C-alpha cells in the first residue's frame, strides 16, 4: 500500500464504527473502530469473523493479525526481590513465569500497521465501507 492509502485508512478509522477492508496475503481483513473495555480500539476481523480457536491455538492467522501481549505470573514485589538473586537463577525464574495472550483488538493504528507490514508480504486496500 502507498503512504496515502495508509493515511486514508487511518483517517477513516478515526471516526467510530467505520470499516476499512484490506487484502493481506489472501485474507480479507475488516478493520473497524469500536469500543472495547471502555476505550476505542481497532478490531481486526479475518474474512468477516473472529474465531476463538485463533486466540487459543497457534496458527498463521493469530501470528499475522492479532496483537501479542506478554504477562507475568509474578507480582512487582516478587520481581523486585528477584533482582537481589544470582543472574542465572533470576533469568530462569523470570523465563518460566511469563505467558502470552493474543487479542484481535489494537489500541493504536501505528502498531497495527507496523505489525501488518512486518508479517504480511502483500497488503492492498480492498474497499472502504461505512457501517
Amino acid at each position: 500500500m502507498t503512504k496515502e492509502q495508509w493515511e486514508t485508512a487511518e483517517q477513516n478509522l478515526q471516526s467510530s464504527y467505520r470499516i476499512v477492508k484490506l487484502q493481506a496475503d489472501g485474507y480479507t481483513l475488516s478493520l473497524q473502530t469500536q469500543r472495547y473495555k471502555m476505550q476505542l480500539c481497532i478490531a481486526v476481523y479475518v474474512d468477516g469473523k473472529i474465531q476463538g480457536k485463533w486466540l487459543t491455538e497457534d496458527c498463521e492467522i493469530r501470528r499475522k493479525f492479532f496483537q501479542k501481549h506478554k504477562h507475568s505470573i509474578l507480582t512487582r514485589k516478587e520481581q523486585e526481590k528477584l533482582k537481589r538473586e544470582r543472574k542465572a537463577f533470576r533469568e530462569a525464574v523470570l523465563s518460566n513465569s511469563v505467558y502470552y495472550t493474543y487479542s484481535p483488538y489494537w489500541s493504536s493504528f501505528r502498531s497495527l500497521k507496523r505489525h501488518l507490514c512486518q508479517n504480511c508480504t502483500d497488503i492492498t486496500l480492498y474497499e472502504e465501507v461505512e457501517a
Side-chain angles (χ1 to χ4, degrees):
M1 281 181 47
T2 64
K3 185 177 179 181
E4 292 80 23
Q5 289 175 325
W6 281 115
E7 289 173 359
T8 304
E10 183 176 11
Q11 286 177 347
N12 287 336
L13 288 172
Q14 286 178 355
S15 60
S16 297
Y17 303 103
R18 293 285 305 258
I19 298 173
V20 174
K21 290 194 175 191
L22 304 175
Q23 281 289 123
D25 293 343
Y27 297 101
T28 302
L29 301 180
S30 300
L31 309 178
Q32 182 179 21
T33 305
Q34 55 186 237
R35 191 177 279 217
Y36 178 71
K37 291 188 178 180
M38 299 302 291
Q39 70 177 11
L40 286 178
C41 63
I42 301 168
V44 178
Y45 293 89
V46 181
D47 294 331
K49 57 190 170 193
I50 298 173
Q51 291 186 353
K53 70 177 186 175
W54 295 338
L55 301 173
T56 57
E57 299 172 2
D58 187 29
C59 61
E60 178 186 26
I61 291 175
R62 181 174 87 171
R63 287 188 302 270
K64 283 189 176 213
F65 307 122
F66 292 168
Q67 188 173 24
K68 185 178 184 178
H69 298 281
K70 182 179 179 180
H71 303 281
S72 177
I73 297 171
L74 303 174
T75 64
R76 293 272 182 223
K77 190 174 183 180
E78 292 169 337
Q79 290 175 4
E80 290 297 322
K81 281 185 181 178
L82 276 176
K83 287 184 178 179
R84 292 183 237 139
E85 298 293 333
R86 288 179 300 128
K87 183 178 180 180
F89 176 75
R90 178 178 64 232
E91 288 180 357
V93 170
L94 288 175
S95 67
N96 290 330
S97 65
V98 171
Y99 68 97
Y100 297 95
T101 60
Y102 293 84
S103 171
Y105 303 105
W106 294 79
S107 58
S108 165
F109 181 79
R110 285 185 179 174
S111 60
L112 171 61
K113 175 185 168 186
R114 186 176 342 112
H115 182 81
L116 289 176
C117 289
Q118 288 174 352
N119 293 297
C120 299
T121 55
D122 181 39
I123 304 170
T124 56
L125 188 61
Y126 187 64
E127 64 179 280
E128 299 164 19
V129 180
E130 188 163 336

